[in-house]
């Protein structure tokens, strides 16, 4: 009986830890040449749109806010000195959010990872001043922790926004690809 209990507890912990991650991928057609933002070659603007499917899914939700996500991305770019809104002849970022899932607070707190995960997925296109796509990639973030500390809406949503922003900036800056996990799971 003790062995069964240990196995169940370890299984739940593994499920929780494996469900919290973020990363970005480039489509094969993007090739090896990718855009790299620098202080001299900054981003001038960030726009975020939702697919029709995501809009429909979120029409009654008060938990996801595309403006807050955009602000997090702009802040992350500013912190790396990769955003210059004054430079009009600079590249811009268009992000299309393709998937959002935010768990019910009760389920996240009471059931944690067993209730699935919260997630945001999006397609990012970098466009030159003429509107031509110069690079593109896809960002996935997911958060499956729960309980009284990790299941609160603010903890879950803020982690997703921060992780998404970090992945966008990492891809733009040419940082090595690494998956991000919440501090509680490290």
């Amino acid at each position: 009986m003790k062995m069964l209990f240990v196995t169940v507890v370890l299984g739940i912990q593994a499920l929780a830890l494996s469900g919290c991650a973020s990363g970005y991928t480039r489509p094969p057609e993007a090739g090896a040449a990718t855009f790299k933002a620098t202080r001299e070659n900054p981003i001038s603007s960030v726009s975020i749109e939702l697919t029709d499917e995501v809009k429909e899914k979120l029409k009654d939700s008060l938990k996801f806010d595309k403006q807050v996500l955009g602000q997090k991305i702009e802040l992350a770019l500013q912190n790396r000195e990769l955003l210059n809104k004054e430079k009009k002849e600079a590249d811009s970022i268009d992000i299309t959010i393709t998937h959002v899932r935010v768990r019910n607070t009760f389920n996240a707190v009471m059931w944690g990872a067993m209730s699935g995960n919260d997630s945001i997925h999006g397609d990012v296109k970098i466009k030159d001043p003429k509107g031509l796509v110069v690079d593109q990639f896809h960002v996935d973030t997911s958060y499956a922790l729960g309980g009284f500390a990790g299941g609160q809406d603010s903890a879950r949503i803020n982690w997703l926004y921060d992780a998404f922003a970090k992945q966008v900036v990492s891809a733009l800056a040419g940082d090595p690809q690494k998956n991000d996990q919440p501090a509680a799971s490290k």
Side-chain angles (χ1 to χ4, degrees), residues 80-98:
R80 296 277 300 263
E81 298 181 356
L82 301 177
L83 181 69
N84 185 346
K85 291 184 175 185
E86 306 301 317
K87 190 172 181 180
K88 300 302 177 197
E89 289 298 313
D91 298 301
S92 62
I93 303 173
D94 289 345
I95 301 172
T96 303
I97 301 300
T98 58

Side-chain angles (χ1 to χ4, degrees), residues 12-104:
I12 290 172
Q13 287 177 340
L15 179 63
L17 295 178
S18 66
C20 299
S22 66
Y24 66 88
T25 55
R26 284 195 161 76
E29 62 270 13
T34 58
F35 172 84
K36 184 172 181 178
T38 63
R39 187 179 304 159
E40 296 76 29
N41 186 29
I43 298 298
S44 64
S45 66
V46 176
S47 70
I48 298 180
E49 295 299 323
L50 309 176
T51 63
D52 290 339
E53 181 180 301
V54 171
K55 284 179 190 174
E56 181 64 28
K57 187 176 181 181
L58 294 175
K59 71 180 180 184
D60 296 325
S61 175
L62 300 175
K63 295 181 182 184
F64 177 82
D65 186 337
K66 75 177 189 177
Q67 278 78 28
V68 174
L69 177 59
Q71 291 167 353
K72 293 277 189 169
I73 293 168
E74 286 184 0
L75 179 61
L77 287 166
Q78 286 173 348
N79 289 344
R80 296 277 300 263
E81 298 181 356
L82 301 177
L83 181 69
N84 185 346
K85 291 184 175 185
E86 306 301 317
K87 190 172 181 180
K88 300 302 177 197
E89 289 298 313
D91 298 301
S92 62
I93 303 173
D94 289 345
I95 301 172
T96 303
I97 301 300
T98 58
H99 168 82
V100 174
R101 179 176 189 256
V102 181
R103 292 176 287 173
N104 171 290

